[in-house]
Amino acid sequence: MAQVNILVVDDEKEIADLVEIYLVSDGYKVFKAYNAQDGLKILNEEEIHLVLLDIMMPGMNGLEMCKKIREKSNIPVIMLSAKSTDLDKIMGLTGGADDYVTKPFNPLELTARVKSQLRRYTQLNPNATSGITGNEITIRAMTINKDNHKVTIDGEDIKLTPIEFDILYLLASHPGKVFSTDEIFEKVWNEKVYEANNTVMVHIRRLRGKMREDEREDKIITTVWGVGYKIEK
């Protein structure tokens, strides 16, 4: 991807301008909007690869905008919020966000999060796992293709965000192995654990919903109570 376009949506112009300075210095092209309506308009007109989205905005808030984005796109969305409680983070992640950064934030930390999400989204370094034919895994009714990030279950395509895909691929590429929430967080987010349990649990819940696990007798993702999650062959 030659040019990476990032959309910053924040009603505080000073914050949007500050974020733009750091992103531009890292080589990204930045589009800015100060409300959700203008942000959605830019998304319709431009090829955007990642969105930095403030939650607290007048009119349509960031949570509502994120849901609108998820109706059409799986590009990474990082929420920005002055709120720091677990409930607020869960709401942001449940709404479809891939990551959550609390204001005031260190701009260098924010750009590091941006790079991490883009690296995952653009699949710059796909790693083949031993025991897998190419970069495709087939387990029962599910097929996962690492190269094109395509997941099919019972012949139906399942649209996943990059984070959801990486969690599923991690579990499926180690059939039978139980991963704790801390292990999943460290391997998927490539960061040391910080309040990982809620973050991972929310993404697993969202992943299971898209996979329609509640309708299946033969569950693909198994919860090992008190330990973590696994996928059996």
Side-chain angles (χ1 to χ4, degrees), residues 28-167:
Y28 303 118
K29 183 174 181 179
V30 175
F31 294 82
K32 290 184 295 183
Y34 305 116
N35 59 65
Q37 287 79 8
D38 289 347
L40 290 172
K41 186 171 184 289
I42 292 172
L43 279 168
N44 286 330
E45 297 173 351
E46 305 290 344
E47 183 182 7
I48 300 297
H49 304 111
L50 181 143
V51 180
L52 288 168
L53 178 57
D54 183 39
I55 290 182
M56 302 298 291
M57 294 188 293
M60 182 188 296
N61 64 33
L63 295 172
E64 293 168 331
M65 181 177 171
C66 186
K67 290 178 181 177
K68 290 281 188 185
I69 294 172
R70 285 291 172 249
E71 290 174 4
K72 297 181 178 180
S73 174
N74 283 324
I75 60 172
V77 175
I78 300 176
M79 294 294 231
L80 307 176
S81 178
K83 296 185 176 182
S84 60
T85 67
D86 283 347
L87 179 59
D88 294 312
K89 293 180 180 180
I90 289 171
M91 286 180 63
L93 296 170
T94 303
D98 296 285
D99 205 351
Y100 187 111
V101 177
T102 304
K103 297 178 181 179
F105 50 79
N106 181 329
L108 294 178
E109 179 192 351
L110 181 63
T111 55
R113 299 283 186 91
V114 167
K115 290 175 183 175
S116 175
Q117 291 297 331
L118 286 170
R119 192 162 50 240
R120 177 175 291 109
Y121 184 65
T122 54
Q123 308 159 52
L124 295 179
N125 299 299
N127 295 316
T129 307
S130 58
I132 299 169
T133 303
N135 280 327
E136 188 167 279
I137 305 172
T138 299
I139 294 179
R140 286 173 274 157
M142 177 179 67
T143 299
I144 307 172
N145 189 296
K146 178 73 169 176
D147 293 329
N148 59 20
H149 269 215
K150 185 175 181 180
V151 176
T152 59
I153 299 177
D154 294 322
E156 179 185 353
D157 288 349
I158 310 298
K159 291 182 65 175
L160 302 179
T161 67
I163 287 280
E164 292 163 356
F165 181 92
D166 280 0
I167 291 173

Side-chain angles (χ1 to χ4, degrees), residues 202-214:
V202 168
H203 280 88
I204 291 277
R205 190 180 311 128
R206 207 167 70 195
L207 178 57
R208 281 174 158 163
K210 292 183 178 181
M211 295 168 65
R212 298 181 182 173
E213 287 277 76
D214 59 335

